[in-house]
Amino acid sequence: MDTARSCDLLVAGSGAGGLSAAVVAAELGLRVIVVEKAAQFGGTTAWSGGWMWIPRNPLAVGAGIVEDEAAPRAYLRHELGAHYDAARLDAFLAHGPRMVEFLRARAAIAFIDGNAIPDFHGGAPGAASGGRSVCAAPVDARILGERLAALREPLDLTAFLGMGIAAGADLRHFLMAMRSWASFRHAARRVAVHLADRLVHGRGMHLVAGNALVARLLRAALDRGVELRAGTALTALVRDGTRVTGGRVAGAGGAETLVAARGVVLACGGFPHDDARKRALFAHAPTGREHCSAAVPSNTGDGLRLGESAGGVVAADLAAAGAWAPVSLVRRADGSVGHFPHLIERGKPGLIAVTRAGRRFVNEAGSYYDFMEALFAALPAGAPVEAWLVCDHRFIRRYGLGHVKPAPLPLGPSLRSGYLQRGATLAALAARCGIDAAVLADTVERFNRGARHGADDEFGRGTTAYNRVQGDPTHGPNPCVAPLERAPFYAVRVVPGSLGTFAGLRTDAHARVLDAGGTAIAGLYACGNDMASVMGGRYPSGGITLGPALTFGYLAAHHAAGRAPD
């Protein structure tokens, strides 16, 4: 039986953008309902590293890193080129720091700084060597009380025994656990506490990265009376003339109409698992299935279709439609196939990436987006989009390779499943992978000549601040470069994937959805990956998805409340 309820603001989706809008709107006095199609809250944010790119953020300023808007604006103008959207970027740069301070001061959300995290392209005008990133501080999961079970756990493929590991010192300790007693003690203590928590609570209780961000936002939402409904999908928008006035939702209790006096926020996570939209917008995915996103499976383009039903337009002219990243395919025990995002190990010394032709094509220590752009460019039209990450025994035991964990964890399961390939010689490895053996041997020989002296003569690996942060600080003279010499040799195949999508609904500086004529649709907002990327489909730095998601959620909430942003 259909029923009707009312609120001020209806939010569809519970990632960073949706929860930011919900928390800020509730703090401003609005009655808010959040509906989440999946059984748990958090979306892809809960699986993410949790970093937000926010130039001039309060934590950087507090540490004495002071820059005016000219520097990040110059960097973005250089990086985005013709895709530079002045109105929305002005709003982002002006209000990003205010969003962080609002959540700190008025929603009790604690952050940690990323002041040592550089922009991706250090040689570009306006690039910074740090001071533009923030992340939610680690938090005890007990803050969610009885709602803890509704929080999406970290991605099983990247978590260790279900335990999230934070980038930075935490990860370094795990990678150094077999080389440093201090790191071994840190890792052993973390694992012991985690296993005890799983025994008692059924999951890890020390939350980091994106899981911590979602938990803190959920707690703030609950404290402000936000109604949170998991397992409930927004199926249609309700309009009064041209104004969006609510939506129809469907959940375990049946269908319901929710009247939303101030409007609806679409934050459903974009379309990474919508084959039809991928087929239309991803040149490398002619059926849509050739693209294997690391985003949560529930992100199937609902928000974009809903926006279009009200007259909204999906931007199809961005530099790229997706936030590209290489992924490898991991078969789980239940037969399902997971998509492991390769974000960390590519910058470590002793690895190269090659095409099936056996040639390198990229600075492996660069960003995941740049890696995929280079791979697309390196392959002839119509060729399968794939590459191999190749390393030696020293590398895999020290750093792992994709889903394969470093020593002392065994290699056997990954070898038996076929995920990891091994050869006693490079020729044997090439035969197993279908790589041109002669070209691979020549590629490795040429790479090793320079690598023995810490140089990458072909691609300059390790010459930028971002490269070097991705490397191993204990290895010299170049933290990103070492020869591949110690047999046996190993390889993992990577295919095109993404961390999410960029092509979303066109919006204005208030996050209002625009129609085909550029007019705002009253009562309809979009943020996160349902909003066309403010970066125009480029990827200038880590955190350029979550930073704008939270900022435009904050701006949407203020506009819906009829309040100027603080």
Side-chain angles (χ1 to χ4, degrees):
M1 180 178 179
D2 193 12
T3 59
R5 291 192 54 203
S6 65
C7 62
D8 293 316
L9 191 66
L10 173 61
V11 179
S14 63
L19 289 179
S20 171
V23 168
V24 174
E27 176 64 18
L28 296 176
L30 300 190
R31 294 169 299 136
V32 183
I33 297 176
V34 174
V35 294
E36 167 57 58
K37 180 175 71 172
Q40 293 177 303
F41 296 108
T44 302
T45 301
W47 283 359
S48 74
W51 288 102
M52 295 155 268
W53 194 71
I54 305 289
R56 303 167 55 249
N57 68 76
L59 283 77
V61 173
I65 302 173
V66 180
E67 59 177 351
D68 61 27
E69 287 187 20
R73 185 174 282 109
Y75 182 57
L76 292 176
R77 284 192 182 279
H78 176 271
E79 292 289 294
L80 310 189
H83 297 282
Y84 187 93
D85 181 338
R88 290 198 302 156
L89 286 166
D90 284 351
F92 168 64
L93 292 173
H95 295 293
R98 295 171 186 171
M99 174 274 296
V100 173
E101 189 54 40
F102 184 100
L103 293 179
R104 284 207 309 172
R106 299 182 60 174
I109 294 178
F111 295 93
I112 56 174
D113 72 72
N115 290 343
I117 299 176
D119 291 329
F120 282 170
H121 304 133
S129 59
R132 293 177 176 174
S133 300
V134 294
C135 188
V139 67
D140 192 315
R142 293 169 184 83
I143 66 168
L144 290 178
E146 63 183 15
R147 300 301 296 268
L148 174 59
L151 172 66
R152 185 184 292 273
E153 293 194 48
L155 176 61
D156 61 333
L157 301 180
T158 56
F160 176 56
L161 302 174
M163 176 180 64
I165 299 175
D170 194 26
L171 176 60
R172 286 194 295 273
H173 279 305
F174 275 90
L175 292 177
M176 290 287 292
M178 302 305 294
R179 293 187 281 159
S180 159
W181 278 110
S183 292
F184 178 83
R185 287 192 296 271
H186 172 93
R189 182 169 57 250
R190 286 271 280 115
V191 170
V193 170
H194 174 75
L195 293 177
D197 283 341
R198 288 190 69 87
L199 184 64
V200 174
H201 303 286
R203 64 158 294 157
M205 302 299 282
H206 179 70
L207 307 183
V208 299
N211 228 231
L213 175 60
V214 172
R216 288 183 178 277
L217 287 167
L218 287 174
R219 182 68 265 167
L222 290 167
D223 289 345
R224 284 152 186 79
V226 174
E227 184 178 339
L228 300 168
R229 298 190 188 184
T232 303
L234 178 64
T235 59
L237 295 174
V238 175
R239 287 182 285 170
D240 181 1
T242 59
R243 181 179 182 83
V244 174
T245 57
R248 286 184 57 80
V249 302
E256 183 177 2
T257 297
L258 298 177
V259 177
R262 304 296 182 93
V264 174
V265 178
L266 300 174
C268 303
F271 64 96
H273 297 288
D274 178 355
D275 285 347
R277 189 84 66 175
K278 289 188 291 181
R279 190 163 58 242
L281 294 177
F282 292 0
H284 63 274
T287 72
R289 295 186 297 276
E290 295 84 355
H291 184 88
C292 303
S293 180
V296 295
S298 55
N299 291 354
T300 56
D302 297 354
L304 274 60
R305 289 188 294 273
L306 288 164
E308 288 173 323
S309 75
V313 177
V314 172
D317 58 351
L318 305 184
W324 311 137
V327 302
S328 52
L329 306 181
V330 183
R331 186 165 295 280
R332 297 186 176 96
D334 65 2
S336 66
V337 176
H339 305 156
F340 184 98
H342 288 258
L343 310 181
I344 296 172
E345 85 274 52
R346 293 175 294 99
K348 301 295 186 290
L351 170 147
I352 60 172
V354 299
T355 63
R356 186 172 290 274
R359 297 185 180 88
R360 289 178 71 209
F361 57 92
V362 72
N363 175 346
E364 295 88 349
S367 78
Y368 30 91
Y369 177 92
D370 291 348
F371 181 100
M372 287 308 306
E373 287 278 277
L375 180 57
F376 292 145
L379 298 174
V385 182
E386 62 180 13
W388 292 87
L389 302 180
V390 178
C391 69
D392 67 3
H393 190 72
R394 180 200 65 84
F395 180 98
I396 202 167
R397 293 286 70 198
R398 180 167 291 186
Y399 308 114
L401 182 62
H403 189 243
V404 182
K405 302 298 186 288
L409 298 177
L411 303 178
S414 295
L415 290 166
R416 288 190 293 273
S417 72
Y419 173 80
L420 179 67
Q421 298 297 327
R422 178 171 64 188
T425 64
L426 284 171
L429 179 68
R432 292 191 63 86
C433 300
I435 300 171
D436 186 306
V439 176
L440 177 63
D442 179 67
T443 294
V444 172
E445 195 278 329
R446 285 187 292 108
F447 176 77
N448 284 353
R449 281 202 300 267
R452 293 186 185 100
H453 308 287
D456 173 12
D457 297 330
E458 189 172 8
F459 291 103
R461 186 158 139 196
T463 56
T464 70
Y466 177 76
N467 279 187
R468 298 177 79 85
V469 163
Q470 297 297 104
D472 180 349
T474 70
H475 176 82
N478 185 332
C480 302
V481 175
L484 285 69
E485 295 179 314
R486 184 178 169 191
F489 300 95
Y490 301 86
V492 164
R493 185 176 74 108
V494 294
V495 298
S498 63
L499 305 182
T501 49
F502 283 155
L505 295 162
R506 295 192 185 278
T507 58
D508 67 7
H510 300 289
R512 295 181 296 179
V513 176
L514 303 176
D515 65 16
T519 300
I521 300 170
L524 187 61
Y525 304 88
C527 59
N529 287 348
D530 280 356
M531 178 186 86
S533 168
V534 73
M535 300 296 167
R538 299 292 188 193
Y539 217 128
S541 196
I544 56 88
T545 297
L546 291 186
L550 280 117
T551 302
F552 283 97
Y554 164 88
L555 289 169
H558 276 86
H559 189 273
R563 298 274 296 274
D566 293 350

